[in-house]
Amino acid sequence: MSEKRKLGNSDLSVTSVGLGCMGFSHAYGAPTEKSEAVKMIRKAFDMGYNFFDTAECYIGTNADGSMSFNEKLVGEALRDVRDKVVIATKFGVEHSSMGLLTDSSPETIRQAVEGSLVRLGVDCIDLYYQHRVDPKVEPEIVADVMKELIKEGKIRYWGISETDEAYLRRANAVCPVTAIQNRYSMLAREHEKLFPVLEELNVAFVAFSPLGNGFLSGKYDENSKFEDGVDFRSHMPQYTKDGFEAGRELMELLGKMAEEKNATSGQISLAWMMCKKPYIIPIPGSRKEERLKENIGSKDVILSDKEIAVIDDLLDKMNMPVYGQSAKK
């Protein structure tokens, strides 16, 4: 398949697989040591990645008590290749002991964009997402701020993460939306109903957690342990004994296909969505060099319509509870 994909209605061309950078400082255990994180993000660029995803709220605590700001890591790693990469970041979410707090008020957005510009060390953000819909703020208000930021040259394009059709349409009517970033994988397919809308509006689908938070990589089993409190996978239902049992048939199918194509289960999982639609761009995250190479290598794996149908037929029959999606009734 093509090395690059056009990002919705923009003039940006991005690698068909992007890099989700969150795990270097947030949600997947202790943050990676700064110099190592910067080195690995830069290595990803050297491997061929040109699309990097971060957010203002991706913050972790280092072993010495200092804070690890994901945007700073991304900005430092890519500073000398700035004109060769597309950087996406997000606003409007704060992690707290009460869960996710959303704030997309115009005042907060303007404070957020200035902070992100400084941490990233850039003059303009390529793609700026509303991280989560804020029920207190109408989409037209958010879109109007985005229109102003584009005119001011602070951002080039904007997107919405975890949106539905109604919100997307209302926002897009005020300021065209370039991309949505929703959860999408073989284990989380509820947003496939948005495909016709995305095609109508010429909006890209950037897929986060495309490997089901690592489950579809085939690298884990029911004995795998994750650090409680700092690694989100420690509480994800797919990583329970029942989850592995429910996904066993799927993993066997992926393993068989991988063997036939001299690929890995993870590569089959990523190729599955990229071969479905030309505007889907998965952004798997990894902190390991071999996984980075494996993930971007999935662009060379081609699945036929028949092979995709075989996978979809099995997925339709599965009843597997996963993080971010309820089990089928």
Side-chain angles (χ1 to χ4, degrees):
M1 67 185 73
S2 174
E3 293 279 331
K4 295 286 184 72
R5 297 198 163 196
K6 187 171 179 292
L7 201 59
N9 55 26
S10 77
D11 60 358
L12 301 175
S13 291
V14 298
T15 41
S16 50
V17 179
L19 178 60
C21 298
M22 179 180 75
F24 287 103
S25 59
H26 179 76
Y28 285 89
T32 303
E33 190 275 325
K34 178 183 176 182
S35 63
E36 178 65 16
V38 169
K39 182 176 75 172
M40 291 308 299
I41 295 169
R42 179 50 191 263
K43 274 192 174 182
F45 169 78
D46 294 336
M47 290 175 195
Y49 288 86
N50 85 330
F51 188 30
F52 297 83
D53 183 88
T54 182
E56 67 168 347
C57 69
Y58 295 163
I59 304 170
T61 305
N62 295 312
D64 62 2
S66 62
M67 306 306 291
S68 175
F69 292 90
N70 203 262
E71 289 179 319
K72 288 186 177 182
L73 301 177
V74 172
E76 183 172 336
L78 303 174
R79 190 151 298 145
D80 65 336
V81 291
R82 176 67 186 98
D83 61 338
K84 297 179 175 67
V85 297
V86 174
I87 297 175
T89 191
K90 312 178 194 75
F91 68 86
V93 158
E94 179 183 349
H95 292 277
S96 76
S97 58
M98 297 178 289
L100 288 181
L101 303 179
T102 57
D103 184 353
S104 288
S105 63
E107 299 80 10
T108 297
I109 294 173
R110 287 199 163 275
Q111 291 174 359
V113 74
E114 297 299 338
S116 289
L117 287 167
V118 170
R119 286 186 293 274
L120 288 167
V122 300
D123 297 323
C124 180
I125 295 165
D126 298 312
L127 179 59
Y128 200 40
Y129 292 106
Q130 181 183 19
H131 204 155
R132 291 291 184 273
V133 169
D134 183 351
K136 305 182 299 297
V137 182
E138 299 297 324
E140 291 83 1
I141 293 176
V142 176
D144 196 54
V145 178
M146 295 300 106
K147 183 188 291 186
E148 292 172 357
L149 294 179
I150 291 170
K151 287 181 180 178
E152 294 165 16
K154 296 183 185 297
I155 68 174
R156 295 180 69 184
Y157 302 99
W158 82 292
I160 311 168
S161 183
E162 289 288 70
T163 187
D164 59 19
E165 177 181 353
Y167 191 95
L168 172 60
R169 286 189 181 280
R170 289 176 61 185
N172 186 77
V174 175
C175 183
V177 175
T178 291
I180 66 166
Q181 185 181 132
N182 284 17
R183 183 184 300 275
Y184 184 49
S185 73
M186 290 182 180
L187 305 184
R189 299 168 61 204
E190 68 268 31
H191 296 305
E192 289 183 348
K193 62 179 178 284
L194 291 176
F195 287 172
V197 183
L198 301 179
E199 290 160 13
E200 174 193 340
L201 302 179
N202 192 16
V203 175
F205 190 155
V206 177
F208 77 84
S209 297
L211 293 173
N213 300 100
F215 183 92
L216 295 166
S217 69
K219 309 296 183 184
Y220 305 99
D221 59 31
E222 53 264 39
N223 298 313
S224 299
K225 301 295 182 184
F226 304 103
E227 190 175 356
D228 191 24
V230 292
D231 192 321
F232 284 8
R233 291 171 293 184
S234 62
H235 297 291
M236 291 182 178
Q238 64 263 44
Y239 283 107
T240 62
K241 184 177 180 181
D242 289 344
F244 279 104
E245 184 57 37
R248 191 174 306 282
E249 189 176 355
L250 172 62
M251 296 312 298
E252 289 174 354
L253 174 61
L254 297 183
K256 179 182 177 182
M257 285 187 168
E259 186 174 353
E260 292 171 351
K261 294 180 180 292
N262 193 28
T264 66
S265 296
Q267 288 178 325
I268 298 295
S269 301
L270 295 173
W272 166 81
M273 65 174 66
M274 288 190 288
C275 289
K276 273 197 164 192
K277 299 291 182 182
Y279 51 82
I280 296 177
I281 303 142
I283 51 167
S286 182
R287 298 189 275 185
K288 298 179 180 178
E289 185 173 353
E290 61 269 28
R291 294 287 84 77
L292 293 173
K293 289 179 180 177
E294 177 183 338
N295 291 340
I296 199 166
S298 61
K299 64 181 172 53
D300 299 319
V301 178
I302 304 300
L303 298 179
S304 67
D305 290 344
K306 183 177 180 180
E307 288 169 323
I308 291 173
V310 168
I311 294 172
D312 285 351
D313 286 344
L314 176 56
L315 297 177
D316 289 338
K317 299 170 188 173
M318 283 177 56
N319 186 20
M320 183 176 179
V322 296
Y323 183 75
Q325 178 169 285
S326 301
K328 297 172 187 174
K329 300 297 184 183

